[in-house]
Amino acid sequence: MGFGHEKLDVYRTSIEYVGWAYRFCETLKGHRNAKDQLLRASQAIPLNIAEGNGKATDGDRRRYFEIARGSALECGAIQDVLQVCGAFSPEENATRKALLDRIVAMLTKLGQRGYTVREDQPHYTVGIDPDPDYDPDTEGNQEQTDRQQLAPGDS
């Protein structure tokens, strides 16, 4: 069994990015603010995807997917800051940005259509009684009673 968001490719891809960001930040010396910001922003991506996918309305889901998309874009900017400060190479930045670009593209699509993936639900059969007052034993008698209650000239 799993949660609905775990079926989303964008969720799995964002988890992959978080893993990279964590390992990268462990080796990063200095650049404390950018490091903290990268960890926070990268973790916000899958967290918002999961929370958004569980929302009941399209508007709520879209809002969380847009927040996750914003966090992914923020990660790209943080990478640029780290590159310009010499924390890693333009090649590594481009490689990681390709993954972010994929995440942003998927989140853009999800946000546009209010998409959701749900957990598999057990199938239940529910008998619905359309008329709870209906009694088949008195069906003919009720029509007669209804007619008797009408005053002359009411029909």
Side-chain angles (χ1 to χ4, degrees), residues 3-128:
F3 295 107
H5 63 270
E6 293 172 334
K7 298 176 186 176
L8 294 172
D9 188 35
V10 68
Y11 176 80
R12 291 189 305 271
T13 305
S14 67
I15 289 294
E16 177 186 337
Y17 183 82
V18 169
W20 168 81
Y22 180 79
R23 288 185 301 279
F24 173 74
C25 288
E26 278 188 322
T27 64
L28 191 59
K29 303 296 181 212
H31 309 286
R32 183 172 160 236
N33 290 335
K35 177 178 165 178
D36 291 345
Q37 196 71 10
L38 180 61
L39 288 171
R40 185 204 59 75
S42 67
Q43 292 170 8
I45 301 168
L47 296 175
N48 279 292
I49 292 169
E51 188 170 357
N53 193 65
K55 294 298 180 181
T57 66
D58 286 345
D60 284 342
R61 273 191 298 276
R62 188 172 19 259
R63 180 173 166 262
Y64 280 90
F65 291 152
E66 288 172 359
I67 292 169
R69 182 178 176 273
S71 294
L73 292 169
E74 181 181 357
C75 287
I78 297 165
Q79 287 181 203
D80 289 341
V81 167
L82 289 170
Q83 178 188 327
V84 82
C85 293
F88 68 120
S89 70
E91 295 78 26
E92 180 69 8
N93 190 11
T95 300
R96 295 304 159 188
K97 274 194 173 179
L99 189 59
L100 284 173
D101 186 52
R102 187 168 165 235
I103 292 169
V104 167
M106 288 188 279
L107 287 168
T108 300
K109 279 288 198 188
L110 288 174
Q112 288 174 349
R113 62 182 179 184
Y115 185 76
T116 185
V117 174
R118 302 255 185 237
E119 295 180 52
D120 294 331
Q121 298 293 321
H123 297 284
Y124 295 104
T125 351
V126 178
I128 298 174

